[in-house]
Amino acid sequence: MAGTGSRGRAERRGAGELESAVLAALWATERPLTPAEIQQEIGGALAYNTVHTILKRLYDKGLVLRDADGRRGAYRPAKNAAELTAQAMHAALDRGPDPIAALRHFVTGLSTEEERALRALLAEEGL
């Protein structure tokens, strides 16, 4: 939702933040949502057209799927949150000049619980 700035004007959220809010609303349910339902889920402060524009951007990026329902469309995520996060991690590793060094830095920043989980996953995979 947009807040109010120090001069009383509405503060604008960035497109990435809005996209994240829309994806979070979609991940929170088991069924496709219409733009109006998404608007309500994220607080209703955004104009319907803004929600629709964000959905179009997400659709164009392949992050949501559109289910035709008569004249109204409902949207659902193309991937769950874990899949999307993993995809972003792979893309980040692919962009850097030294993915092994990046992994080393990543691993040293893990919490004890995250490190245990990673070790267990690697053991399951026989690595």
Side-chain angles (χ1 to χ4, degrees):
M1 276 183 277
T4 304
S6 60
R7 296 180 184 209
R9 286 188 272 165
E11 293 178 0
R12 295 178 58 111
R13 291 192 281 185
E17 189 178 343
L18 291 172
E19 289 177 3
S20 294
V22 168
L23 284 170
L26 292 170
W27 287 325
T29 184
E30 296 292 320
R31 65 178 181 83
L33 298 176
T34 66
E37 291 171 323
I38 293 168
Q39 179 186 26
Q40 183 177 352
E41 285 295 315
I42 58 179
L46 291 176
Y48 176 88
N49 287 344
T50 301
V51 174
H52 195 268
T53 298
I54 297 298
L55 286 164
K56 170 117 177 54
R57 287 182 185 157
L58 291 170
Y59 179 82
D60 290 345
K61 292 178 182 181
L63 297 175
V64 298
L65 304 172
R66 186 172 184 268
D67 296 336
D69 178 25
R71 291 186 55 175
R72 293 176 12 160
Y75 294 81
R76 58 189 167 88
K79 298 178 180 180
N80 67 36
E83 291 169 325
L84 190 58
T85 300
Q87 180 181 347
M89 293 168 72
H90 283 288
L93 287 172
D94 290 344
R95 280 192 307 271
D98 189 351
I100 302 304
L103 279 173
R104 186 174 292 117
H105 284 281
F106 175 76
V107 169
T108 60
L110 294 176
S111 70
T112 304
E113 181 181 343
E114 292 166 336
E115 184 180 341
R116 264 191 238 119
L118 180 58
R119 287 182 189 281
L121 288 170
L122 291 172
E124 285 177 19
E125 297 296 320
L127 302 173

